[in-house]
């Protein structure tokens, strides 16, 4: 047996299905076996595997035993000369395994290898190659120096960003998303350390391979797509804690007491720093728009009140009391802000309808209260009404500008019409066009074409103002799909893949299901 492929799955059924389709093409003509270890998924992954992939060796756990333990379950049964640890949210090129086996046979000192990984937007994933997280490397990574100085051999050491991404390199750490290992090396150094429940096990295994006298290699060819983080929320505080706790386990296991203490101290500091940063970013993001609203509305209301006082009230020998400016106007604004919040005007993505509905309701509340007040403390109704108009202008204007400047997270709901380009042959493009009509936001237009080169696709995208590109894997090889992803990443389109024979269109963190009806515009 040449190759044993091990995939650990947890609630990513559609990504797993697409992954196995690519694996099936890549093992054609080889002596290979595929294991899928399901860690008690609740999304019918096991049923899907039994129905669509009966040739897969399925291990269905009744509880989530963790990444390391699940991999070890399959490795113990594996018969291949080489073992591949593969994430379920990946896609491999058709010649991936042949190239990996050839390299391993030609490179006797290679204990394991990893390949170039790109995400669902065609961007290179830096974790394709990494260094050991010694204290200095970890410090540069945690506190952002690696991002500030990516070309520095010193500061850019964590992801080896100073190395050429398109050259074969000997590296220290490989990613567990794709780790191609000699079976005899695993027999020598042992299996994955089950102390690591999730994260850190790939660093530990990479280091043990090096300590045994072998090398880990990074290969720029072949390439894979890795829909990074589909089964984890990498921006969450929980991820920060779990990841750095795993690093602490690694430090205690492999480093001397002094170095282990230093790295553990840095990692504990990192947990507090990154968690505080995550909380701060969330708080700032949630408060930014309300604070902008308050500032602009208050400024406008002050100008309106001063204008009304000088141009109207003074001619009536009257004026606003001082507390009107620092108490009454802020109360008006508070009512509008709370009303907009209650009407979900601050919920992302933003809705003009919900925002304006909140302003209208808030204005009605203010006018009702105004009508119930004693005559002596009733102030100008006109300023209130003009203030409501200014509030609508300010709130909608702020949201429009934030959307126009494409500030991340501040976008209108359904503000961009979907214009979809499907690449493939008939009748597959017709089938996929039906699936592409998803939810409440149906495409404004759908264009289909036979498989074309990247330059031709670029022209179609530009001419038709396409913002969503769907590639049919039935008609286009994964190798060409990856090439399209990379070459078209500057086109500002959303990339999706239509797996052969499946009723879904899959993109990074996005899966579409079909609704009825569509109109096709065919471009040949």
């Amino acid at each position: 047996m040449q190759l044993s492929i091990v995939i650990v799955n947890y609630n990513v059924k559609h990504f797993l299905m697409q992954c196995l389709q690519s694996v099936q093409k890549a093992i054609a003509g080889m002596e290979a076996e595929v294991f899928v270890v399901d860690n008690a998924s609740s999304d019918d992954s096991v049923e899907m595997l039994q129905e669509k992939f009966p040739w897969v060796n399925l291990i269905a756990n009744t509880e989530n035993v963790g990444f390391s333990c699940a991999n070890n379950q399959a490795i113990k049964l594996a018969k291949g000369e080489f073992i591949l640890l593969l994430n379920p949210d990946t896609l491999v090129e058709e010649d991936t395994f042949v190239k990996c086996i050839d390299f391993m046979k030609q490179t006797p000192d290679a204990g394991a290898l990893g390949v170039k990984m790109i995400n669902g937007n065609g961007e290179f994933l830096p974790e394709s190659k990494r260094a050991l997280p010694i204290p200095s490397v970890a410090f540069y990574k945690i506190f952002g120096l690696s991002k500030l100085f990516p070309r520095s051999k010193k500061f850019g050491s964590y992801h080896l960003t100073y190395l050429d991404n398109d050259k074969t390199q000997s590296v220290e750490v490989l990613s567990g998303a794709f780790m191609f290992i000699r079976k005899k090396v695993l027999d020598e150094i042992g299996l994955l350390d089950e102390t690591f429940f999730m994260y850190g096990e790939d660093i530990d295994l990479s280091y043990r391979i090096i300590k045994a006298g072998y090398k880990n290699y990074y290969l720029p060819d072949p390439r894979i797509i890795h829909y990074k983080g589909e089964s984890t929320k990498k921006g969450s505080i929980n991820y920060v804690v779990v990841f750095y706790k795993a690093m602490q386990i690694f430090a205690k296991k492999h480093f001397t007491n002094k170095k282990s203490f230093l790295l553990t101290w840095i990692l504990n500091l990192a947990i507090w720093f990154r968690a505080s940063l995550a909380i701060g970013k969330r708080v700032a993001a949630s408060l930014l728009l309300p604070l902008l609203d308050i500032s602009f509305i208050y400024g406008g209301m002050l100008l309106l009140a001063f204008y009304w006082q000088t141009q109207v009230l003074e001619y009536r020998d009257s004026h606003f009391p001082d507390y009107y400016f620092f108490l009454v106007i802020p109360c008006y604004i508070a009512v509008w802000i709370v009303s907009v919040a209650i009407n979900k005007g601050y919920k992302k993505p933003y809705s003009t309808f919900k925002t304006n509905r909140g302003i209208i309701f808030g204005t009605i509340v203010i006018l009702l209260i105004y009508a119930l007040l004693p005559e002596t403390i009733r102030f100008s109704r006109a300023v209130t009404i003009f203030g409501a108009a200014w509030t609508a202008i300010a709130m909608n204007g702020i949201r429009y500008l934030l959307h126009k400047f494409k500030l991340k997270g501040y976008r209108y709901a359904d503000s961009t019409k979907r214009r979809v380009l499907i690449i493939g042959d008939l009748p597959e493009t017709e089938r996929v066009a039906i699936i592409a009509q998803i939810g409440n936001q149906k495409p404004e237009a759908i264009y289909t074409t036979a498989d074309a080169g990247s330059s031709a696709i670029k022209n179609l995208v530009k001419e038709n103002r396409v913002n969503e590109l769907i590639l049919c894997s039935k008609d286009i090889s994964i190798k060409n799909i990856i090439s399209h992803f990379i070459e078209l990443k500057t086109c500002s389109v959303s990339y999706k893949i239509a797996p052969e024979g499946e009723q879904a269109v899959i993109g990074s963190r996005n899966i579409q299901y079909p609704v009825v009806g569509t109109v096709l515009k065919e471009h040949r």
Side-chain angles (χ1 to χ4, degrees), residues 130-356:
R130 288 176 290 171
L132 286 171
I134 60 174
S136 59
V137 171
F139 182 86
Y140 302 145
K141 166 68 168 63
I142 291 162
F143 294 99
L145 292 173
S146 58
K147 281 192 175 181
L148 287 174
F149 308 102
R151 295 301 173 191
S152 167
K153 193 170 184 179
K154 180 179 182 181
F155 297 122
S157 52
Y158 184 80
H159 283 130
L160 305 175
T161 46
Y162 58 89
L163 295 178
D164 191 337
N165 296 336
D166 294 319
K167 286 187 178 179
T168 299
Q169 312 276 0
S170 172
V171 299
E172 290 177 325
V173 176
L174 302 173
S175 170
F178 185 105
M179 204 166 182
F180 200 96
I181 316 162
R182 289 187 197 275
K183 179 64 161 58
K184 73 170 187 177
V185 172
L186 286 175
D187 293 338
E188 181 180 339
I189 67 172
L191 304 182
L192 280 72
D193 187 341
E194 295 180 12
T195 309
F196 299 90
F197 184 83
M198 181 178 287
Y199 309 122
E201 66 289 313
D202 49 0
I203 300 175
D204 172 72
L205 189 58
S206 296
Y207 188 39
R208 285 193 282 132
I209 289 171
I210 292 173
K211 287 174 69 175
Y214 299 95
K215 288 184 178 181
N216 298 316
Y217 283 92
Y218 160 78
L219 272 60
D221 181 31
R223 308 158 300 179
I224 69 168
I225 292 175
H226 180 205
Y227 293 107
K228 182 182 174 183
E230 287 309 324
S231 53
T232 58
K233 301 296 182 184
K234 299 217 167 185
S236 69
I237 296 171
N238 182 61
Y239 164 76
V240 171
V241 174
V242 172
F243 179 78
Y244 287 119
K245 287 292 185 184
M247 294 302 96
Q248 289 177 354
I249 295 171
F250 175 82
K252 290 176 182 178
K253 178 177 178 179
H254 290 291
F255 295 154
T256 61
N257 289 336
K258 184 177 180 180
K259 188 179 283 190
S260 174
F261 173 79
L262 178 59
L263 183 54
T264 299
W265 181 83
I266 291 173
L267 291 168
N268 279 324
L269 182 61
I271 290 172
W272 286 104
F273 175 74
R274 296 294 289 271
S276 301
L277 199 63
I279 294 170
K281 284 175 68 177
R282 289 182 184 181
V283 171
S286 62
L287 292 180
L288 174 62
L289 192 55
L291 289 175
L292 284 174
D293 287 341
I294 291 168
S295 300
F296 277 85
I297 296 169
Y298 187 60
M301 287 287 289
L302 284 179
L303 291 175
L304 280 168
F306 280 123
Y307 176 84
W308 196 259
Q309 181 168 268
T310 57
Q311 299 300 316
V312 177
L313 296 184
E314 286 185 0
Y315 289 100
R316 301 174 184 173
D317 197 25
S318 180
H319 66 278
F320 291 122
D322 290 341
Y323 66 82
Y324 180 81
F325 299 100
F326 64 81
L327 180 60
V328 177
I329 289 178
C331 285
Y332 289 168
I333 296 171
V335 172
W336 280 317
I337 295 294
V338 170
S339 180
V340 169
I342 291 172
N343 283 275
K344 300 182 179 179
Y346 288 107
K347 186 177 180 181
K348 298 178 182 179
Y350 299 115
S351 164
T352 302
F353 172 75
K354 292 175 182 177
T355 300
N356 291 330

Side-chain angles (χ1 to χ4, degrees), residues 339-500:
S339 180
V340 169
I342 291 172
N343 283 275
K344 300 182 179 179
Y346 288 107
K347 186 177 180 181
K348 298 178 182 179
Y350 299 115
S351 164
T352 302
F353 172 75
K354 292 175 182 177
T355 300
N356 291 330
R357 183 176 63 186
I359 295 169
I360 291 170
F361 285 172
T363 304
I364 292 171
V365 169
I366 292 170
L367 292 175
L368 286 173
I369 294 173
Y370 179 91
L372 297 173
L373 292 174
E375 190 73 32
T376 54
I377 57 173
R378 286 186 190 177
F379 304 105
S380 173
R381 186 185 288 107
V383 172
T384 303
I385 293 172
F386 286 133
W390 165 246
T391 298
I393 293 170
M395 282 192 168
N396 286 289
I398 290 167
R399 284 154 181 74
Y400 174 77
L401 289 174
L402 292 174
H403 170 80
K404 195 70 175 175
F405 286 107
K406 298 182 179 179
L407 193 63
K408 188 176 180 181
Y410 296 92
R411 305 300 299 273
Y412 282 132
D414 301 332
S415 58
T416 304
K417 293 290 185 180
R418 290 178 63 214
R419 300 181 66 84
V420 182
L421 174 61
I422 302 172
I423 311 297
D425 295 327
L426 289 172
E428 182 69 359
T429 51
E430 291 182 328
R431 184 187 73 85
V432 173
I434 296 173
I435 300 172
Q437 295 213 79
I438 177 68
N440 297 323
Q441 192 186 12
K442 295 181 182 180
E444 181 182 64
I446 292 180
Y447 303 90
T448 67
T449 183
D451 186 14
S454 295
S455 59
I457 295 173
K458 277 185 180 180
N459 290 334
L460 285 171
V461 167
K462 186 176 179 180
E463 290 169 6
N464 299 294
R465 295 179 288 114
V466 168
N467 51 33
E468 187 174 318
L469 183 65
I470 301 176
L471 299 142
C472 302
S473 64
K474 178 182 179 182
D475 306 319
I476 310 172
S477 68
I478 300 300
K479 182 182 288 291
N480 284 338
I481 286 175
I482 292 175
S483 294
H484 287 324
F485 272 34
I486 294 172
E487 293 171 26
L488 299 170
K489 64 184 177 183
T490 59
C491 289
S492 299
V493 295
S494 172
Y495 301 99
K496 295 181 174 66
I497 298 173
E500 181 178 353

